[in-house]
Amino acid sequence: MLGLTLKEVSLAFREGRISPTELCRKCLNRIKKTQHLNAYITVTDELSLTQAQESERRLQRGVPKGPLDGVPFAVKDNFCTKNVRTTCASRMLKDYVPPFNATVVQKLLDQGAVLMGKTNMDEFAMGAGSTDGAFGPVKNPWSYTEPYRTLAGPEADWVIAGGSSGGSAAAVASLTSYLALGSDTGGSTRNPGALCGVVAFKPTYGLLSRHGLIPLVNSMDVPGILTRSAGDASVVLSVLQGVDVRDSTTVPAPSSHAELPEEFDVRNLCVGIPKEYHALGLSPDTRAQWSRVADLFEAAGARVEQVSLPHTQHSIVCYHVLCHAEVASNMARFDGVEYGHRSSMDSSTEAMYATTRHEGFNDVVRGRVLSGNYFLLKQNYQHYFVKAQKVRRLICDDFRRVFASGVDVLLTPTTLTDAARYGDFTQEDNRTRSAQEDVFTQPANMSGLPAVSVPTALSSRGLPIGLQLMGKALDDHRLLAVAQWMERQVGFPSIGVHDDYRQCSDTSSTVQTSA
Amino acid sequence: EFIRKLWEGLLVQSKPPLTSHFPFPAQIPPDLVDKLERLALVDFRTKQGLECLEKAIRFADQLHVVDTTGIEPMDSVLEDRALYLREDTAVDGGCAEELLKLSRKTVEEYFVVPPGNIPLPKKEERSSMLKHSEL
């Protein structure tokens, strides 16, 4: 039951094979059993059961609210949840209890979905490993499965979940939630989705409301959707999309069905392979899967073409400047006065601000705030910030040209390699790691395009490899239809409920790992 | 056959990734360090903090290999459409008490802060102030 997709579990409810409270209890038990993964910062057990009971009553009366009624979900801890603490994995917000729900959370609750808890992440979503948060790193559930244990050796160290939405990806992969919300600014939903072997969807910029999502980079942030199938992602998208009066950057959703077409003909499809994505550092396993899936498309009659995105190589540097500049501005709100942590220093307002921020932020956040302020200095503003905005236009124009030439979707890897061992990953500092990890995912954020990572195969180490599909703006529904076609061809093995989840005996989860 | 050729082509074309090593290191003079700490209201904490900024600047300098002559800066990907604007009337509110509850220090319906108009102390004093404030 726990391993089902959202659509299957919805059907099981209606057929009376299981009840929402039974399922909720199963998921809560499994959260306990998989506690060592550190996927959740807060588990809302009592609230979850109350919500499940309400859902059960609706189902008994034969009036469920929709396909999500009774379905357990998890939310990244940077979305505000009413009366449930929302920490952003930071000491700055460790006791913050929002008085309202983020719009996307409210929409899921309105559909009767059952909140299981808030998931772990990198502090303020700054990272690509879910190793840089105040509550310790997230462990990838695949670290404890048979394939990895067999292929990598019984003594192999656990591997990272990817980030920054690592807790959400781990929650869906370890079968404690059927869907999870993440956020995606440079790849933060797709990266952990690929490393944990789940479908991870970043919608078109503006299609989903960001009201109540604690901002990182306003010009790129989008809520992300993590599920076990492309069809599930489509159901969730249809619930969440559309204009929100509380977010002026939302755009009207194109009319589309929640359901994806059962039969999808790829013969009229043109798949672009961007030659610049053939980066050094791409693992042979990932390259082989990329090639294999391109072959699958061609064999089924799709047109597969090499395309060029010449400015994409500058995307990471461009992002680095725009991200740090917007972070410097966004983090200014945390001053200890209205909410969040406040230092006991009271000699002056400025001293209180400085000590509050010193105590509340980790090194990664502080570093980005400082460099952001540097890029925004009067004498540097044109040289760095405006220059980066110009490069951004060139990157976007590349995509526009490619899609105008008749390409429907782009097929690329999601990450360079499968998940790194924790010890290896933390060798490099956060900035270097983010630059490496976001290389394939970041350009879609720069251009606001929809993109989805689809689990494709297990690597020679027994760990998931994901491939990414990118589409035209607002063509999200068709993008997911292509993803579903691909998902059915590749036959990715899902994690088993009976996979060995024994508690790992190492103690590295307590090590503070700020870069 | 086409796919195989395409992949062989890609193998030939793949270039080394961007280098983050630039010949001249960025140097941050002490008065700029002070200015940034005052503006950002966060401190560098250690020498590594400063090195981190120097690396971030060197990394950003790679932007300048791109020719952007005649290119307009892009603020938002939604620049090509009119965004939703609501009527300029209050539709919610009346939640002052709820919001004030989130603050650590309030009096009646006011947020309370320590005395204002006092600049941050000088570097040395500031460091010792922060050292004693560790959680």
Side-chain angles (χ1 to χ4, degrees):
Chain A
M1 193 56 73
L2 289 173
L4 298 183
T5 65
L6 186 162
K7 282 160 106 177
E8 289 163 345
V9 86
S10 187
L11 187 68
F13 284 151
R14 281 153 209 254
E15 291 176 349
R17 279 183 279 136
I18 193 163
S19 78
T21 43
E22 273 177 84
L23 186 64
C24 181
R25 285 211 175 86
K26 273 183 193 286
C27 286
L28 288 171
N29 280 338
R30 189 153 181 93
I31 290 175
K32 276 204 198 88
K33 231 170 127 186
T34 57
Q35 212 166 13
H36 60 286
L37 299 177
N38 204 16
Y40 290 82
I41 290 174
T42 304
V43 181
T44 50
D45 28 20
E46 265 178 53
L47 179 70
S48 317
L49 278 168
T50 309
Q51 289 174 358
Q53 281 154 6
E54 287 166 11
S55 166
E56 186 152 334
R57 280 195 287 273
R58 284 190 296 271
L59 277 150
Q60 278 165 354
R61 291 203 313 271
V63 286
K65 289 180 164 183
L68 297 183
D69 207 344
V71 175
F73 76 105
V75 175
K76 187 177 182 179
D77 213 17
N78 59 350
F79 288 93
C80 288
T81 41
K82 189 173 182 170
N83 300 331
V84 176
R85 74 169 178 157
T86 298
T87 69
C88 271
S90 175
R91 278 172 296 185
M92 188 58 97
L93 291 176
K94 88 177 159 35
D95 302 314
Y96 174 60
V97 180
F100 73 107
N101 280 321
T103 298
V104 285
V105 172
Q106 189 62 51
K107 283 185 165 182
L108 291 174
L109 293 172
D110 288 345
Q111 289 288 313
V114 176
L115 177 67
M116 303 310 292
K118 303 297 293 292
T119 56
N120 202 353
M121 53 188 280
D122 289 299
E123 180 161 335
F124 283 105
M126 298 183 203
S130 299
T131 55
D132 284 329
F135 297 90
V138 180
K139 298 178 181 178
N140 192 319
W142 289 86
S143 310
Y144 306 98
T145 57
E146 205 50 49
Y148 178 67
R149 291 283 143 195
T150 311
L151 292 164
E155 297 312 312
D157 193 9
W158 56 275
V159 296
I160 59 157
S164 63
S165 316
S168 288
V172 175
S174 62
L175 314 179
T176 60
S177 279
Y178 291 82
L179 80 109
L181 294 179
S183 62
D184 196 311
T185 308
S188 277
T189 293
R190 289 160 287 157
N191 174 294
L195 301 191
C196 293
V198 298
V199 171
F201 172 51
K202 170 222 174 286
T204 298
Y205 180 83
L207 195 53
L208 267 58
S209 168
R210 300 178 295 173
H211 172 68
L213 166 62
I214 295 166
L216 177 65
V217 182
N218 303 65
S219 76
M220 292 178 223
D221 292 341
V222 296
I225 298 168
L226 297 119
T227 54
R228 296 189 196 133
S229 78
D232 285 358
S234 174
V235 170
V236 179
L237 172 70
S238 69
V239 166
L240 299 183
Q241 67 183 357
V243 169
D244 176 15
V245 291
R246 295 173 190 269
D247 178 358
S248 65
T249 59
T250 46
V251 298
S255 58
S256 64
H257 299 286
E259 297 289 322
L260 296 175
E262 263 315 300
E263 300 292 325
F264 185 79
D265 191 353
V266 296
R267 275 176 302 180
N268 299 318
L269 198 72
C270 180
V271 180
I273 309 284
K275 63 177 185 184
E276 290 82 3
Y277 280 61
H278 204 86
L280 246 96
L282 182 63
S283 78
D285 280 352
T286 306
R287 179 179 302 156
Q289 289 304 322
W290 190 16
S291 167
R292 171 187 160 228
V293 172
D295 282 345
L296 286 173
F297 273 107
E298 209 197 23
R303 200 149 49 93
V304 179
E305 268 180 19
Q306 179 182 298
V307 298
S308 175
L309 299 161
H311 294 95
T312 265
Q313 56 172 318
H314 307 297
S315 194
I316 286 296
V317 179
C318 179
Y319 176 66
H320 168 78
V321 173
L322 296 178
C323 170
H324 292 204
E326 291 201 43
V327 160
S329 157
N330 269 323
M331 294 296 131
R333 79 190 71 218
F334 299 103
D335 57 14
V337 178
E338 292 161 295
Y339 45 76
H341 174 70
R342 175 177 177 141
S343 161
S344 56
M345 167 65 62
D346 59 359
S347 59
S348 76
T349 301
E350 297 276 306
M352 188 276 284
Y353 288 160
T355 46
T356 294
R357 292 160 67 78
H358 172 87
E359 293 164 2
F361 291 147
N362 73 2
D363 289 350
V364 176
V365 177
R366 270 208 317 278
R368 291 199 193 182
V369 169
L370 283 162
S371 48
N373 272 282
Y374 178 88
F375 297 138
L376 291 171
L377 286 174
K378 200 171 167 193
Q379 68 265 31
N380 293 337
Y381 187 78
Q382 289 288 332
H383 192 66
Y384 290 109
F385 185 67
V386 177
K387 177 77 182 179
Q389 286 191 310
K390 291 178 179 175
V391 174
R392 181 176 190 178
R393 184 175 300 283
L394 291 171
I395 295 164
C396 294
D397 285 348
D398 283 354
F399 281 105
R400 202 165 296 152
R401 217 172 7 251
V402 162
F403 286 121
S405 77
V407 169
D408 298 302
V409 291
L410 296 168
L411 175 70
T412 75
T414 309
T415 56
L416 287 165
T417 64
D418 56 5
R421 279 194 298 263
Y422 177 72
D424 295 336
F425 186 77
T426 45
Q427 292 292 307
E428 296 274 13
D429 67 47
N430 180 289
R431 186 192 58 77
T432 311
R433 283 188 269 118
S434 298
Q436 288 164 349
E437 300 300 322
D438 291 346
V439 61
F440 297 137
T441 47
Q442 213 293 310
N445 298 85
M446 205 56 97
S447 330
L449 303 174
V452 58
S453 176
V454 182
T456 306
L458 293 184
S459 68
S460 50
R461 295 161 67 218
L463 295 171
I465 291 174
L467 292 183
Q468 174 179 240
L469 293 164
M470 286 186 270
K472 295 175 207 174
L474 298 174
D475 204 16
D476 302 58
H477 190 255
R478 185 163 63 149
L479 182 71
L480 290 176
V482 179
Q484 177 172 275
W485 181 88
M486 182 178 142
E487 172 183 275
R488 288 175 177 176
Q489 307 299 310
V490 294
F492 179 79
S494 67
I495 217 165
V497 184
H498 302 295
D499 267 315
D500 181 15
Y501 270 105
R502 74 197 147 79
Q503 179 78 43
C504 198
S505 58
D506 67 31
T507 51
S508 37
S509 65
T510 55
V511 177
Q512 189 57 44
T513 57
S514 302
Chain B
E1 179 59 17
F2 166 76
I3 293 282
R4 200 173 52 79
K5 277 198 186 131
L6 191 148
W7 286 96
E8 281 166 0
L10 285 176
L11 278 172
V12 175
Q13 279 161 355
S14 66
K15 285 179 294 192
L18 283 170
T19 167
S20 55
H21 304 288
F22 256 60
F24 37 86
Q27 287 283 332
I28 313 294
D31 59 331
L32 185 55
V33 169
D34 186 66
K35 183 179 178 174
L36 283 173
E37 288 193 341
R38 283 169 189 277
L39 279 173
L41 287 165
V42 296
D43 59 304
F44 284 97
R45 200 187 288 245
T46 55
K47 219 174 105 233
Q48 280 80 35
L50 196 56
E51 280 166 14
C52 185
L53 175 65
E54 289 168 352
K55 277 190 206 162
I57 297 167
R58 259 177 290 162
F59 190 70
D61 279 328
Q62 295 171 96
L63 275 179
H64 299 288
V65 303
V66 189
D67 182 5
T68 52
T69 317
I71 304 296
E72 284 296 308
M74 185 179 214
D75 289 314
S76 163
V77 295
L78 301 177
E79 62 182 6
D80 57 347
R81 72 202 80 192
L83 293 176
Y84 168 82
L85 290 176
R86 67 169 172 82
E87 289 302 311
D88 190 16
T89 47
V91 287
D92 51 15
C95 48
E97 216 168 295
E98 213 174 2
L99 296 181
L100 283 160
K101 267 197 295 197
L102 299 173
S103 173
R104 294 291 167 95
K105 217 165 181 185
T106 57
V107 168
E108 293 170 358
E109 61 265 43
Y110 294 96
F111 295 111
V112 178
V113 292
N117 286 328
I118 303 170
L120 270 184
K122 293 230 158 37
K123 182 77 184 162
E124 299 72 42
E125 205 186 317
R126 206 157 72 218
S127 303
S128 92
M129 167 182 96
L130 293 175
K131 214 159 149 189
H132 290 107
S133 82
E134 294 291 345
L135 282 182

